[in-house]
Every structure is written in structure tokens, then in C-alpha cells.
Amino acid sequence: MEMITIDPSTRFVLFPGRHHLLTRFQADYLHRLAAAGGTTIVWAVTSANHENTRRNPVPYHRREAAIERLSVSSGLRSVVVPIFDTAPTDAFAEVTLKTIAVATGLDLTPDNTLVACSTPQVAKLYERLGFSIAQVEADPEMPGAPERPWDVLLRLAGGDETWRQLAHPATIDVFDRYQLVETVRSVVNDPLVGDEGGLTATRDYRTYVEAFADAAERKWAAVRQHVQPGRIVDIGCGAGAVLELADREAALHESDLIGVEVARQLYQECVHKKAQGVFRNANVYFFQRNVLGGAIFKDRSVDTTLTFALTHEIWSYGRQRESVLKFARRIHDHTVPGGVWINSDVCGPDDRHRQVILWLATDDGDNPASPRHDLAQLTSGEVRRYVGGLSTRARLDQFAVDFAFPFSHEALDDGSVRLELGAAMDYLTRKDYVDSWLSETREQFCGLDFADWTDLLTDAGFEIDPASTPVRNDWLVENRIAPVASLTDLDGRPLDWPTTHIRAVARRPWHG
């Protein structure tokens, strides 16, 4: 390999990147850049506030540990700076330089700094500011097209042990000591979690948090009597609203309250609340994890597990009953004998495949000749305005286009619609979620009815407490459904609005 030369006036090498995995090639390349002596490598670790997502599987503090270890072993003088994620911007290079200046006092300029970057789009941002670029893996003087760190990490995720031949010993050491190999494989290969954490990129988390917080007291009141003190875990805890109520219970003041949330935005809100002193109990903990990615808790270690509005997402984004059963078995495994899993979620009506007649209002919005098929190409605001402007009847046609679980519906001469009861309730319970329309239409509310749930929980090893019951949300019926819709059988006889939710109290047998 030829010697890489840089201007003698260069005092710094700025090396921006996510730096989840460091390679032997990077260490050698940076050592050659700094060979003249007196050069400091400034590692700008981007997405430093992200972890446990497909794009960012390794937390910042572990990345920093590997960088410091590499620097010592390679004889590099390094400064490591976390760069928190921002909205996409052409000023990303300026933001990074300002962050470094605030964090370290270093003024990096084109006169004293070389930028090491192999990503053309990022390199152009620094070139525009006048910086010279060392192209690292993309450097045309480097023989053999060195493998990029992310490709090495994908080898690891795929179970290819040759990643250890390419990764720097500093990364290998940190990954082995902190058991990150399985973490990376689980997160990168997780079929349910997106690049940024959470289940979808189209969810409006602000609206979600507000809606859940408004309902938290009602949800807690419905399940409180079944909660067993000890280790209490809320999976899919959102922004921690239910755990805040559990924290106020005198009978639970010696319990451990544990929140598990996969969505980064919601997890960060939980951590913020804890830091602000919202919780009085000292034993409140939060983890950003997807419980389907692997066991979080040891077997027979949890007294009460709570899940609210979660299992329908596992059904919708996974392999339906198979995924929910896997989830239920995992909860069964970590539940102590005699412990309880309380699940509150949406639920399909009995006889959900029954054909019914649905009448929907047409005078409460626009009635275009046909639904649109391009909503995914619009901004969230455009989707919200368009869908929100449709009549209840027209919105059903749009729902049929966007819904990830296809159903047929027949428009009748009198303006009503013939369809299955389950499809009708999937639409009616979702029609007002225009803020997150493209997210909500990926989820099925009516995939399981109460009898299905009973069978599934029994298959997972639980006993069904008599307190388990299907529930109809009468507020939803009276305020959202009945004013704009009516339901009859095929002979025109009016039907009562069916079950919309389930409250399941499932106990692990003492002998199980």
C-alpha cells in the first residue's frame, strides 16, 4: 500500500460516521493520515442518540469505547464527539462542525482539517465548505476495494464469522465483552422494527402519546385489581403513562416498575420523565427492546405483565397468529408460577366472517368518483387533509385501497354496502385516525375474536381467569360510529354494534 500524504499544516482529521463497527483497514488508513505526527483524529459519531434500531443497533457509549480502544492500540490521538440525529438537512456538515466546537472548543476549518469520508453525499457537504476529502474505503489509491464497515456488520448479522477477520480487535473485544453480537443480529434481522425504531415510519407519535395519556386512567382502573405486586412489566409502555399511575399506588411502592418500548421516540420520552422526577419509586426502569427479538427477562422472574394496544400490532406486522402465539409463550416463560399477564387490546366481533349490510353517511365530506391509489407518495399533511375531507362512505373505499388486509365490499343500489362484519368493524374503528392513516391501515384490529384469544392463551400454557371478557367501547360507538353508520343483517334487521375490545387476564398455573 502506498503512503498517504497530507498537507503538513493539517492538525485534525475529521472522521464522521455512525461507527458501529470499526475495521482493521480504517485503523491502518487513519494511522497513515496521522503519520506526520501531531494530528488529532476527531471522530464525529452520528446518530449518537439512537440505539436498538436497524440502522443504529449499537448504543453510542459502546461505539465510543471501541473507538478509544482502537486509538490507544493504534497510537492515534483521538477526540470522540457524539452528534445527535437531526431532521434531514443540507446543512448537516455545518451542524456537525458547530457541535464539535461546542463540545470540545475545536475550530475545524478547511485550513487545519482534512475530512475522511467514504460516503459521496456526505463528502460533498464538506467539499462545499472548502474541505479536502480523504475517501477512506472509496480511495482510488487503495487496492482491493476495502470492505465498508456496514457491510462487515451485515456479515456479522448474517452469521458469517469472517466478520472477525475484517473488524478491528477493538470492536471484537467490545462486542464480545458486552454480548453485542447477538444484539446486533437480533436488531438487524428483526422483521418488525424499522430503520429508526418503532413499527412504522408513518405514525404520528405526538397524537399517539396524547391519545394514550388521555385513556391511561381508564385502562389502569380496569386492570388494577388484577395486578400482582413484585416485578411489574409494561411491554409497549408508550410514554409510560400507565406506569405513572402504578407509581402512585401505595400497595406497589416496593415493586419494580419496568417499561419496555420498541419505538425510539417513546422510549426517549420515558427516560426524560424519569430524569425529571416524575416517578417517586426508585425502582423504575426503561428498556428499548422488541420482545419478539429475544427473551428480555429470565424465566419465572416477572409477577405481572401488562400489554395495552400492543398485540394487534404483533399480529399485523408479524405472521399473525404464529407471531402472537410466540409472544404469548415468551410472556408465559418469564412469568412466575401464579403470575399474571393482563392484555387489553382491540378484538374482532364474534362471527366476524358473517355478511352484513352497512349504511354510511355521504353528506359529511367529499365523494370522489374513485379512491386514490397514490397516498404513499404524498406528505403526511396532504394525506391528512385528503382523507379527512372524505365522507364516511367515500373513506371506506379509500380504506379498502390502503388496508394491508384485503377485503371485498359490494356497493348496493340503495347506497349501502355489503361486506363481512369483521371488515366493517376494522373500518369503523379506524376511520377517524386520519393523522396516521397510512400507519393505521397497515394494522388489523379484528384478526382475532374472544374465542380465538381463549384458544391462543391456552395453547401458550396460560389459564384464563373468569375476569377475562370481551368489551364494547360504548363511547366509541355513541360518538364515532352510530352518528354516521348503521348495521343490519342481509334481511334488513338492525344489528347491535358488536365487541370492539378484549380484556384478558391470563395466569400461569402454579404447577406450570
Side-chain angles (χ1 to χ4, degrees):
M1 183 184 298
E2 299 180 8
M3 178 64 70
I4 302 166
T5 59
I6 62 175
D7 191 304
S9 64
T10 297
R11 296 171 48 211
F12 304 101
V13 173
L14 172 58
F15 193 20
R18 289 179 285 154
H19 299 310
H20 292 286
L21 182 146
L22 311 175
T23 65
R24 298 172 190 268
F25 171 81
Q26 286 178 322
D28 185 62
Y29 191 90
L30 293 172
H31 190 269
R32 290 169 180 269
L33 287 181
T39 301
T40 297
I41 311 297
V42 180
W43 301 73
V45 183
T46 58
S47 297
N49 56 326
H50 290 195
E51 62 179 282
N52 207 54
T53 70
R54 190 170 294 157
R55 287 187 67 249
N56 297 291
V58 181
Y60 166 74
H61 61 288
R62 302 301 186 213
R63 292 182 253 170
E64 181 186 33
I67 292 168
E68 295 286 10
R69 189 165 179 78
L70 177 149
S71 300
V72 171
S73 65
S74 301
L76 296 174
R77 185 174 189 271
S78 291
V79 172
V80 188
V81 181
I83 309 296
F84 282 17
D85 199 49
T86 62
T89 173
D90 289 339
F92 180 72
E94 291 97 321
V95 170
T96 300
L97 293 168
K98 290 177 182 178
T99 301
I100 292 169
V102 170
T104 66
L106 299 177
D107 183 20
L108 306 186
T109 70
D111 294 330
N112 64 15
T113 301
L114 173 72
V115 174
C117 180
S118 63
T119 305
Q121 299 92 325
V122 176
K124 287 179 181 178
L125 299 178
Y126 288 97
E127 282 184 313
R128 190 182 63 189
L129 300 178
F131 288 90
S132 297
I133 306 296
Q135 299 178 60
V136 201
E137 290 86 7
D139 194 324
E141 295 184 7
M142 295 297 101
E147 195 149 352
R148 296 171 184 264
W150 186 253
D151 294 327
V152 179
L153 187 137
L154 291 180
R155 286 194 185 206
L156 180 161
D160 182 351
E161 287 300 314
T162 59
W163 75 271
R164 292 178 180 271
Q165 301 169 19
L166 299 170
H168 190 273
T171 284
I172 296 173
D173 174 63
V174 170
F175 276 32
D176 286 345
R177 279 192 290 135
Y178 293 99
Q179 302 179 34
L180 292 175
V181 172
E182 287 306 316
T183 297
V184 169
R185 285 176 178 162
S186 175
V187 172
V188 171
N189 297 320
D190 193 327
L192 300 186
V193 181
D195 286 347
E196 299 302 333
L199 295 171
T200 70
T202 54
R203 185 187 297 280
D204 183 333
Y205 282 103
R206 176 189 57 79
T207 302
Y208 179 84
V209 168
E210 291 173 354
F212 198 93
D214 290 343
E217 291 196 16
R218 174 176 51 81
K219 293 176 181 293
W220 178 247
V223 305
R224 167 64 189 93
Q225 62 181 314
H226 307 294
V227 173
Q228 295 185 185
R231 208 172 194 204
I232 300 169
V233 175
D234 184 358
I235 298 177
C237 67
V242 169
L243 288 180
E244 287 184 56
L245 297 173
D247 179 63
R248 300 173 192 170
E249 293 278 349
L252 302 178
H253 76 279
E254 292 186 356
S255 295
D256 290 347
L257 304 179
I258 303 169
V260 180
E261 177 54 56
V262 67
R264 174 178 51 83
Q265 296 94 328
L266 302 179
Y267 165 74
Q268 289 176 340
E269 179 64 19
C270 291
V271 173
H272 176 70
K273 284 182 176 180
K274 182 177 178 180
Q276 295 299 309
V278 169
F279 298 95
R280 295 174 293 184
N281 187 333
N283 296 311
V284 176
Y285 309 95
F286 293 101
F287 299 95
Q288 186 188 6
R289 297 285 189 277
N290 173 24
V291 74
L292 287 185
I296 298 175
F297 304 102
K298 293 180 179 179
D299 288 356
R300 304 185 177 211
S301 67
V302 175
D303 296 276
T304 298
T305 300
L306 303 171
T307 53
F308 296 94
L310 172 68
T311 50
H312 76 274
E313 294 190 338
I314 295 172
W315 167 279
S316 300
Y317 295 103
R319 293 183 294 277
Q320 300 184 352
R321 190 181 193 276
E322 177 185 346
S323 293
V324 178
L325 181 59
K326 178 181 177 182
F327 177 72
R329 285 174 171 161
R330 183 150 290 150
I331 293 179
H332 176 272
D333 289 345
H334 78 217
T335 302
V336 301
V340 63
W341 172 26
I342 304 168
N343 179 39
S344 175
D345 203 353
V346 291
C347 181
D350 295 340
D351 197 15
R352 63 186 182 280
H353 297 300
R354 174 186 184 182
Q355 292 285 317
V356 296
I357 303 298
L358 181 66
W359 173 87
L360 299 169
T362 58
D363 59 356
D364 55 352
D366 297 332
N367 293 281
S370 60
R372 294 184 64 160
H373 291 261
D374 65 343
L375 294 193
Q377 309 303 317
L378 306 181
T379 67
S380 58
E382 289 170 336
V383 172
R384 181 173 60 251
R385 287 189 292 274
Y386 176 75
V387 176
L390 297 175
S391 73
T392 304
R393 173 65 184 85
R395 203 175 294 179
L396 170 66
D397 291 335
Q398 188 63 53
F399 183 79
V401 169
D402 300 323
F403 193 40
F405 300 83
F407 66 92
S408 60
H409 64 298
E410 177 187 0
L412 303 180
D413 292 340
D414 63 356
S416 61
V417 181
R418 175 173 174 161
L419 75 174
E420 289 188 353
L421 178 58
M425 294 308 295
D426 251 310
Y427 168 63
L428 292 170
T429 54
R430 214 78 46 79
K431 66 181 179 61
D432 297 300
Y433 292 174
V434 297
D435 286 341
S436 297
W437 180 260
L438 292 180
S439 172
E440 295 296 341
T441 54
R442 290 188 61 190
E443 300 176 7
Q444 187 176 33
F445 281 15
C446 299
L448 296 169
D449 61 24
F450 184 73
D452 295 329
W453 266 112
T454 299
D455 291 342
L456 186 147
L457 291 170
T458 302
D459 287 349
F462 286 103
E463 293 179 345
I464 310 303
D465 189 284
S468 301
T469 182
V471 180
R472 189 179 77 176
N473 185 330
D474 288 332
W475 184 94
L476 178 67
V477 169
E478 294 168 6
N479 292 275
R480 293 285 185 262
I481 297 178
V484 294
S486 62
L487 189 68
T488 72
D489 65 14
L490 297 185
D491 295 322
R493 289 185 291 267
L495 297 174
D496 289 336
W497 295 108
T499 292
T500 58
H501 291 74
I502 183 176
R503 182 169 64 248
V505 181
R507 299 187 183 278
R508 178 169 180 165
W510 285 101
H511 53 78

